[in-house]
Amino acid sequence: MELFSIIGIGLIAAVVCLLLRKTNPEIAMLLSLAAGILLLIPAFSQIQEIFAAFQSISSRYSALQPYLTTLLKAAGICLLTQFAGDTCRDAGESSLANRIEFAGRISILGMAVPLMLEVLQMILGFMEG
């Protein structure tokens, strides 16, 4: 049921922003940003559940901890850059949004390279052994 409330609030905020954008674009932008932050609040309880699940898996299988940590960091970067990019697009700055998202992709790629090298070394180890 929580999802329907989030969708309803989002749609109402979108309509109000659309109406305000014609007369007061600054207020529409602030309303859009505030609504976006408000809509993220219910997600924090789910984020805590996800962290708990990852922590449980990590404690059981300590060898997976670096991979799970990297996965969580990458997911966080994706979510934050998407939110920032969408906010920039709402403000009419699509070029800036694209740069933010590009920086996020590069950051994730930088985190993934050591893991890819480790996987390749494991594969080569299996082929030699």
Side-chain angles (χ1 to χ4, degrees), residues 23-126:
T23 57
N24 294 324
E26 301 86 13
I27 295 175
M29 172 60 194
L30 289 175
L31 176 64
S32 175
L33 185 60
I37 292 170
L38 178 68
L39 293 174
L40 288 178
I41 292 172
F44 287 122
S45 64
Q46 292 177 345
I47 289 172
Q48 290 173 341
E49 292 174 18
I50 292 168
F51 279 135
F54 271 90
Q55 201 168 32
S56 172
I57 293 169
S58 179
S59 66
R60 268 191 245 152
Y61 307 103
S62 60
L64 294 177
Q65 188 170 9
Y67 305 110
L68 294 175
T69 301
T70 302
L71 179 64
L72 278 176
K73 286 180 183 179
I77 290 170
C78 284
L79 294 171
L80 288 174
T81 55
Q82 183 69 45
F83 183 77
D86 288 344
T87 302
C88 289
R89 277 189 198 83
D90 286 346
E93 296 294 332
S94 60
S95 178
L96 183 59
N98 291 335
R99 300 308 174 268
I100 289 172
E101 290 171 352
F102 181 74
R105 289 182 193 111
I106 295 298
S107 181
I108 291 171
L109 185 60
M111 287 180 2
V113 168
L115 291 178
M116 289 187 292
L117 292 174
E118 190 173 324
V119 169
L120 286 173
Q121 287 176 349
M122 286 176 22
I123 291 171
L124 291 174
F126 289 139

Side-chain angles (χ1 to χ4, degrees), residues 15-29 31:
V15 170
V16 172
C17 285
L18 183 66
L19 295 173
L20 280 176
R21 195 160 281 133
K22 296 175 186 173
T23 57
N24 294 324
E26 301 86 13
I27 295 175
M29 172 60 194
L31 176 64

